[in-house]
Amino acid sequence: MLFERPDDDTLYDALIARSADYEGQAYVCVKTTGIFCRLTCPARKPKRENTIFFDTIAACMHSGFRPCRRCRPLEQPGREPIVDALLAELDRAPQLRWSEDELVRRGHDPSTVRRAFKRALGMTFHDIVRYIRLGEAARQLADGARVIDAQLDAGYESPSGFRAAFQRLIGKAPALSQNRELLFADWFDTPLGPMIAVADKTHLHLLEFHDRKALPTELEALQKRVRSSVAIGRTPVIDQIEAEIRDYFEGRLTVFKTPLALGGTAFEKHVWAKLIDIPAGQTRAYGDLAREMERPEVVRAVGRANGANQLAIIVPCHRILGADGSLTGYGGGLWRKQWLLRHEQKISAQAADQAPDQVPDMEETA
């Protein structure tokens, strides 16, 4: 019979008891430490509210958690030796550039490695390398580390390489379309990698992380909607949002004043307004937003509207969690979502410490 995962409370009880009943079938992720463990892990047990449970190792790592060094969830008996050998090499040299050429140099066939890891762990060796690298970078940044060149460049070897990719994405400067005002696009660096902003002279239309898979589709849809074209360039709006995003990452700002061009349906705009109302440092579930809209039956539609948001961070869809408190899908990557939530919790805590006896105004609490 196929394994049917019990509810999270049952799994938490198994974690406390160090029960082996669900060994290899469920894993616990600890929000406060950023690690994931077997349910039999001997480490000190986390509080219930700080735990998330997943069925697979791949889901844990995709959500930005790293494997525990005590219970070593990546180690499994009876699997192909090449998996354990490469995991041991990765543990010894986590910063090594594990290209296919590097695997060949060490005497491994990349296709064999790929199949062995998919069978054993449900993901490839290079998936594991990428998740570990991104998770480590996010943790360093969350602890205040300085951003170094290419640390979060998501595969781009240099700033010039990203500039070339950006130009390919936007294309050559277009001619005026139907006598309408052109949109302009430019990018700027953030601690979580470059962001692309698209704006006209007065309003911001799009703000996304550069490696969002849907970005080319979003740009095409935007141009059709406004019946215009996008050229590489700047407007005062892009200058404004770059300055505000910088202040946000430095912990000085949580309320954005850049004028927004929200191009969705009336329902989507209603959802996005509710997202903007969520204070930094707090989260909601899709069902919470539906109830606040007095339409509890539209939970799925709320989820779709959340996914249609094209203004990352500004319209804070990262503040939405699953009904069980888990990190649900995020177009910029779940590791970024985890980082943003931790960052905002720090900002909120610092604000509370600085004025514990004062009633802050609306701008300070938004």
Side-chain angles (χ1 to χ4, degrees):
M1 185 175 73
L2 292 175
F3 172 71
E4 184 174 336
R5 199 191 81 177
D7 60 49
D8 287 0
D9 289 335
T10 300
L11 291 176
Y12 185 74
D13 290 342
L15 173 69
I16 295 300
R18 292 178 58 185
S19 169
D21 289 348
Y22 308 110
E23 182 68 19
Q25 298 173 318
Y27 301 87
V28 60
C29 299
V30 185
K31 300 177 188 177
T32 51
T33 62
I35 68 170
F36 73 93
C37 305
R38 305 173 190 268
L39 299 188
T40 55
C41 184
R44 187 175 66 177
K45 305 307 177 187
K47 295 180 180 179
R48 173 68 182 86
E49 61 266 25
N50 294 328
T51 59
I52 305 172
F53 295 91
F54 289 113
D55 297 347
T56 65
I57 288 172
C60 295
M61 298 196 73
H62 183 69
S63 298
F65 294 89
R66 67 190 187 279
C68 173
R69 290 185 175 273
R70 292 195 65 179
C71 65
R72 297 186 176 276
L74 296 184
E75 296 181 0
Q76 298 176 8
R79 66 189 176 194
E80 295 161 89
I82 192 173
V83 176
D84 289 322
L86 277 173
L87 286 175
E89 290 186 50
L90 176 60
D91 196 42
R92 286 192 295 270
Q95 303 306 317
L96 186 66
R97 288 285 183 179
W98 286 96
S99 64
E100 290 196 352
D101 288 342
E102 180 64 25
L103 290 175
V104 171
R105 192 183 70 79
R106 292 170 178 256
H108 303 296
D109 174 60
S111 297
T112 301
V113 170
R114 189 180 305 111
R115 289 193 294 268
F117 271 80
K118 287 288 285 186
R119 284 191 292 266
L121 298 172
M123 54 185 163
T124 69
F125 176 67
H126 285 101
D127 285 337
I128 292 176
V129 172
R130 184 170 62 255
Y131 292 148
I132 289 175
R133 185 180 300 130
L134 292 176
E136 182 59 31
R139 282 186 292 277
Q140 291 173 3
L141 288 166
D143 291 336
R146 185 174 61 87
V147 181
I148 61 175
D149 289 343
Q151 181 181 20
L152 288 175
D153 226 5
Y156 293 105
E157 295 296 331
S158 66
S160 62
F162 175 69
R163 281 194 293 271
F166 174 70
Q167 290 171 350
R168 287 194 299 271
L169 176 68
I170 301 301
K172 296 180 180 179
L176 289 173
S177 300
Q178 299 176 339
N179 297 318
R180 290 179 177 268
E181 183 180 8
L182 276 174
L183 299 176
F184 288 91
D186 204 352
W187 63 278
F188 48 83
D189 282 317
T190 78
L192 299 185
M195 296 191 79
I196 291 176
V198 179
D200 56 30
K201 293 180 179 179
T202 59
H203 289 78
L204 181 70
H205 289 255
L206 180 145
L207 182 69
E208 293 281 20
F209 288 103
H210 73 291
D211 53 358
R212 178 176 167 87
K213 291 181 179 179
L215 182 55
T217 303
E218 290 182 347
L219 285 169
E220 183 179 354
L222 173 60
Q223 292 175 82
K224 289 181 179 179
R225 177 170 56 80
V226 300
R227 295 166 59 195
S228 187
S229 298
V230 177
I232 296 175
R234 283 229 162 195
T235 71
V237 175
I238 295 178
D239 291 334
Q240 180 178 354
I241 194 58
E242 179 179 11
E244 290 188 346
I245 288 292
R246 181 176 60 251
D247 287 345
Y248 166 82
F249 276 108
E250 293 178 357
R252 297 193 298 267
L253 179 148
T254 57
V255 176
F256 299 91
K257 298 180 180 179
T258 300
L260 306 178
L262 298 173
T265 64
F267 178 81
E268 288 173 336
K269 291 177 182 178
H270 192 182
V271 173
W272 299 336
K274 290 295 182 183
L275 291 173
I276 292 174
D277 285 342
I278 301 173
Q282 298 185 23
T283 58
R284 300 285 189 275
Y286 295 120
D288 295 331
L289 260 64
R291 285 188 290 273
E292 289 177 13
M293 296 168 64
E294 299 183 352
R295 297 185 63 185
E297 75 281 2
V298 297
V299 174
R300 289 188 178 181
V302 168
R304 288 193 294 271
N306 194 66
N309 171 37
Q310 297 183 357
L311 292 162
I313 299 179
I314 311 301
V315 178
C317 54
H318 60 274
R319 295 175 192 164
I320 299 298
L321 302 180
D324 60 354
S326 61
L327 292 173
T328 53
Y330 182 62
L334 290 181
W335 65 276
R336 283 193 179 106
K337 180 171 186 170
Q338 182 185 44
W339 191 97
L340 292 170
L341 291 176
R342 288 180 176 177
H343 175 64
E344 292 179 351
Q345 287 169 357
K346 288 183 178 180
I347 294 176
S348 179
Q350 290 169 356
D353 290 342
Q354 291 170 358
D357 299 322
Q358 299 178 13
V359 179
D361 61 30
M362 289 297 291
E363 182 173 346
E364 293 172 336
T365 59

